Amino acid sequence: MGGPKNVNSAVTSFKHLFSPLDLRGLEIRNRILSTGHQTYLAQGGLVGDDFIAYHEARARGGAGLIVVEAARFHESTLSDSPEIVVSSDDCIPGYRRLAAAVHRHGARIFGQLSHSGRCTRRSQAGMRGVAYAPSAVPDNRFHTMPREMPADLIAEIIEAGGRAAARFAEAGLDGIEVLASHGLLFSQFLNPAVNRRTDRYGGSRENRMRALLEMLATVRRSIPGRMILGIRISAEEVESDGLDADEIEAVCRELARLKAIDYVNTTLGSMSGLGGSIHVVPPMGIDHAYVAPKAARLRQATGLPVFVAGRINQPQIAEQVLAAGQADMCGMTRALISDPEMANKARAGRPQDIRACIACNQACIGHYHAGYSISCIQNPAAGRELLLGSTAPAARPGRVLVAGGGPAGMKAAVTAAERGHKVVLCEAASRLGGQALLAQMLPGRAEFGGLITNLEQELANLGVEIRLQTAVDHRLVEALAPDAVIIATGARPYLPEIEGRESAHAVDAWAAIRDEANIGSRVVIADWRCDWIGMGLAEKLALAGRHVRLAVNGLHAGQNLQMYLRDHWAAKLHRLGVEVIPYARLYGLDEGTAYFMHSVSGEAIVCEHVDTTVLALGHEPQTALESELRDMGLRTEIAGDCLSPRSAEEAVYEGMLAGRMV
Ligand SMILES: Cc1cc2nc3c(=O)[nH]c(=O)nc-3n(C[C@H](O)[C@H](O)[C@H](O)COP(=O)(O)O)c2cc1C
Ligand code: SF4
């Protein structure tokens, strides 16, 4: 199993990771950085209790520096989304409480100033607002044609940046980071393909840097000398009209020469297009610490402290980056979302206990794009610290039987055991993991197995008794006489009546993933879920040399996936020549043909020359145990796919709730 615990085991000490960093006189206790990330925990644009509890958990867990999420500082970039707004003094009390909470635990805190320029939909009251950018050049993601910023608006934005910086200072923050990364406003100014201005803000590099330099100078003037000022910048934007590595290096060199900044925080990518966006929060399948060599180049070029983020999910990886001199701090953002105690565990010599992020992108950036506050599929308490951050001991510790060893059952067992119950976890198969065992078999998805290895470690630490190849039935329940049963028996493939299925060669998706089906050379995948299974199987079968058609019962392949993951996969399928057929609802099969209905027009979509149809038609819940135990008068809780087939996120969340209920 290729989980994230497969890191270089030769790294056993964290000498570099836990050495303090002196940032122009500001001591940061270690090299672990939580980079700016939108949480959608703001209330009315302000820092509130949930927001503070979220960051306090990471400071308490040992992070060295927390950069708070992108804050909007000028009205020309405000939208209706629940983002932090620092364009008035109303923001100061919340930030002050936040800074105090973070400082209480010995961590440092910086604020981040952001303006999106053209990279926004700017939703306002259901309509699209006007976006302003250096020039009227549209982006390729938000489909925004911005208005060129008049020079007085540039001046106004920069002045607003200075006032926002002064508010951060008044709130007691240690530093400020100006966003010039991700294709946002200041990167748009830097970019000759996007900045077509003929005034003093466009043309030569000197002119293109002017807006950023004026912003930095204004911010510097507005804050006390002790405060740190840095930028975030993409080492490369990875877009056809994006800034390349040479231009970024030249800009950073100049910023260093002018002593305009104290540090450079590097990332990759740009939100101005779908390809560049993937790198904003790189999904599973992209190498660990892949930005580090690019950070090293900027460190060499500027002589400034350089921070780096991007798939650094384990302290061993961070230690290697630091030891190689590639960066001065490691952004471990999702690593800290997934396990806020990551730093403390590493320092205590318990790296094996870290719940490593698996880069699934489901509940962190996935929630953000869906408009919900941050969480984590492995750590449901993330973003819900006030509600779920601590686990109260059971009033009367007893015996709990958990039926089903998938993510829901494993999390339920962990939570019940944490509360002091004696827990027996039974799994009918020969291994724990449920559908996660299948998910990790898809190409590039081995890391998903980390969900299982992380939970296995927690079960072992808590001494939960595990019985494999043990299906729970009423006899076992009677024999064990538990005080409560948690049913987490999962789901099986849903295979509805389909005309002609008997005569055609049709196999179910699970058998295809497990290589248990005989699959011909021309394949059609009937993908009802529009998620991992369809895209993953298409890649797997195409990699094996088959001609693959992916017929999705939705708008496009991966419709129900987080967009960076989806687009990363879409590129791979495109390269492999997979044909995607949208709006396709399966209704019949015969030997050599699969019949779909266009899900809107109702007209037939006929796929001929089909050797095998793979049925990825979703799942149905396993409810037998629930019925069997119904009349036994037992305390029961139900969690995960046996309640309703969804994803690992709901399974783990409901497992946790069930473990808290018993
Ligand atoms: C939910 C979410 C929101 C993000 N919002 C921001 C942001 O406000 N500002 C920023 O600079 N980066 C943002 N990012 C990118 C992260 O700072 C970081 O670069 C990215 O998660 C990759 O680092 P990691 O692999 O350590 O998670 C966000 C990431 C996530 C997961
Ligand atoms: S939801 Fe997935 S990607 Fe996001 S922090 Fe959790 S494990 Fe990592």
Side-chain angles (χ1 to χ4, degrees):
M1 187 188 309
K5 297 210 181 286
N6 290 351
V7 294
N8 187 347
S9 51
V11 179
T12 50
S13 83
F14 300 109
K15 194 172 97 200
H16 297 87
L17 194 59
F18 290 104
S19 66
L21 175 69
D22 181 342
L23 202 53
R24 198 173 54 75
L26 181 81
E27 186 178 283
I28 300 174
R29 63 179 163 185
N30 61 42
R31 309 304 179 99
I32 298 172
L33 161 67
S34 173
T35 57
H37 59 286
Q38 276 139 325
T39 57
Y40 274 2
L41 290 169
Q43 287 153 3
L46 301 175
V47 168
D49 292 345
D50 291 323
F51 198 103
I52 294 170
Y54 173 81
H55 288 294
E56 185 171 7
R58 274 105 202 133
R60 190 189 304 116
L65 171 62
I66 290 174
V67 178
V68 186
E69 67 192 64
R72 309 286 167 196
F73 60 90
H74 187 263
E75 61 177 30
S76 58
T77 194
L78 297 185
S79 74
D80 282 348
S81 52
E83 277 155 3
I84 288 284
V85 180
V86 292
S87 56
S88 87
D89 288 354
D90 294 350
C91 71
I92 296 172
Y95 268 97
R96 186 179 287 135
R97 285 202 298 134
L98 175 65
V102 167
H103 285 153
R104 201 158 43 240
H105 299 285
R108 300 292 189 180
I109 178 168
F110 292 2
Q112 202 178 51
L113 292 176
S114 173
H115 192 299
S116 310
R118 65 176 182 158
C119 282
T120 176
R121 286 186 63 81
R122 265 209 103 189
S123 302
Q124 293 179 310
M127 295 179 284
R128 298 190 65 170
V130 179
Y132 292 90
S135 303
V137 177
D139 80 310
N140 285 298
R141 169 173 164 185
F142 299 94
H143 304 101
T144 292
M145 170 53 93
R147 241 184 113 77
E148 178 170 313
M149 270 184 189
D152 55 356
L153 179 57
I154 300 174
E156 201 188 289
I157 287 172
I158 289 168
E159 286 311 309
R163 286 194 297 277
R167 292 180 189 113
F168 283 156
E170 189 163 345
L173 272 63
D174 303 296
I176 291 175
E177 184 170 281
V178 173
L179 272 176
S181 54
H182 298 123
L184 299 169
L185 179 68
F186 291 106
S187 108
Q188 292 160 33
F189 271 107
L190 296 173
N191 186 346
V194 170
N195 177 351
R196 304 276 177 75
R197 301 178 75 93
T198 52
D199 62 5
R200 53 200 287 274
Y201 293 102
S204 64
R205 182 177 302 134
E206 190 186 349
N207 279 1
R208 283 181 279 113
M209 286 185 68
R210 194 178 307 281
L212 177 59
L213 280 168
E214 287 180 358
M215 173 76 175
L216 292 168
T218 306
V219 169
R220 189 76 98 184
R221 264 201 313 277
S222 311
I223 56 178
R226 64 167 172 81
M227 274 182 84
I228 300 300
L229 173 59
I231 55 160
R232 193 154 205 217
I233 198 157
S234 299
E236 231 176 286
E237 292 194 336
V238 207
E239 269 294 323
S240 55
D241 68 354
L243 288 162
D244 64 19
D246 292 341
E247 186 61 25
I248 293 289
E249 181 184 320
V251 166
C252 290
R253 250 183 218 281
E254 188 60 6
L255 291 172
R257 191 186 69 77
L258 295 169
K259 298 192 172 19
I261 47 173
D262 301 316
Y263 73 89
V264 179
N265 183 4
T266 56
T267 177
L268 210 64
S270 165
M271 289 194 282
S272 68
L274 298 182
S277 286
I278 288 169
H279 301 281
V280 176
V281 189
M284 191 186 307
I286 289 183
D287 288 345
H288 294 287
Y290 75 121
V291 191
K294 299 172 199 300
R297 176 177 170 183
L298 292 177
R299 191 169 185 250
Q300 176 81 29
T302 61
L304 285 170
V306 168
F307 308 164
V308 65
R311 296 280 280 121
I312 304 175
N313 72 331
Q314 289 273 51
Q316 292 91 330
I317 297 170
E319 179 66 20
Q320 283 174 301
V321 169
L322 297 165
Q326 292 175 306
D328 297 276
M329 284 201 91
C330 284
M332 303 185 73
T333 304
R334 284 171 294 170
L336 290 163
I337 299 172
S338 177
D339 192 343
E341 287 290 321
M342 188 265 300
N344 284 346
K345 288 177 182 174
R347 207 186 42 216
R350 298 192 291 120
Q352 72 282 1
D353 290 344
I354 292 169
R355 191 191 303 116
C357 164
I358 56 174
C360 65
N361 276 5
Q362 278 173 248
C364 48
I365 192 70
H367 275 206
Y368 171 72
H369 285 146
Y372 296 99
S373 52
I374 195 160
S375 196
C376 170
I377 72 162
Q378 299 193 82
N379 177 22
R384 305 182 181 106
E385 280 72 15
L386 293 179
L387 205 61
L388 301 176
S390 58
T391 316
R396 274 193 304 278
R399 273 169 308 173
V400 174
L401 171 62
V402 181
M410 293 173 88
K411 187 67 182 180
V414 163
T415 312
E418 278 172 346
R419 297 183 54 235
H421 291 300
K422 189 161 169 22
V423 182
V424 178
L425 170 61
C426 295
E427 164 56 43
S430 57
R431 285 170 68 189
L432 293 177
Q435 286 177 60
L437 290 170
L438 285 168
Q440 64 166 359
M441 292 170 80
L442 293 170
R445 303 287 293 170
E447 205 167 339
F448 203 83
L451 173 62
I452 310 170
T453 43
N454 289 335
L455 283 165
E456 279 175 334
Q457 183 72 34
E458 293 183 49
L459 290 167
N461 289 348
L462 289 158
V464 170
E465 181 186 340
I466 295 164
R467 298 190 187 181
L468 299 174
Q469 293 176 303
T470 306
V472 174
D473 58 15
H474 71 274
R475 277 186 294 276
L476 184 67
V477 173
E478 276 159 9
L480 293 177
D483 298 294
V485 180
I486 297 174
I487 302 176
T489 43
R492 59 178 162 253
Y494 175 59
L495 295 172
E497 295 279 307
I498 296 164
E499 204 181 319
R501 195 176 114 205
E502 305 316 318
S503 58
H505 186 237
V507 303
D508 81 71
W510 288 18
I513 296 172
R514 289 188 183 119
D515 288 323
E516 288 171 357
N518 177 19
I519 295 178
S521 59
R522 291 165 304 177
V523 184
V524 168
I525 300 168
D527 178 12
W528 173 80
R529 280 173 62 112
C530 303
D531 65 7
W532 308 270
I533 298 177
M535 292 192 97
L537 267 174
E539 185 184 358
K540 176 184 164 79
L541 297 173
L543 283 170
R546 274 132 181 151
H547 176 267
V548 180
R549 281 168 277 183
L550 176 60
V552 297
N553 191 347
L555 310 185
H556 51 76
Q559 184 187 318
N560 294 317
L561 295 180
Q562 191 277 325
M563 65 175 282
Y564 302 156
L565 168 64
R566 176 199 71 201
D567 294 339
H568 186 234
W569 231 330
K572 289 195 279 180
L573 297 192
H574 179 75
R575 284 188 204 109
L576 286 165
V578 170
E579 183 190 340
V580 178
I581 306 171
Y583 291 100
R585 189 185 302 168
L586 181 69
Y587 73 87
L589 297 168
D590 66 25
E591 211 180 325
T593 311
Y595 300 91
F596 294 85
M597 174 201 292
H598 187 278
S599 50
V600 185
S601 74
E603 283 166 23
I605 303 172
V606 180
C607 293
E608 294 178 312
H609 312 297
V610 180
D611 298 318
T612 305
T613 303
V614 180
L615 304 176
L617 301 177
H619 306 132
E620 63 179 329
Q622 304 254 33
T623 53
L625 184 62
E626 189 187 335
S627 316
E628 193 175 335
L629 303 187
R630 188 163 291 139
D631 300 325
M632 288 181 73
L634 276 165
R635 169 97 207 254
T636 53
E637 297 292 335
I638 308 176
D641 272 12
C642 67
L643 193 56
S644 170
R646 287 150 296 158
S647 79
E649 180 184 358
E650 293 82 6
V652 173
Y653 175 73
E654 289 169 4
M656 184 190 216
L657 293 189
R660 291 168 72 95
M661 294 293 286
V662 293

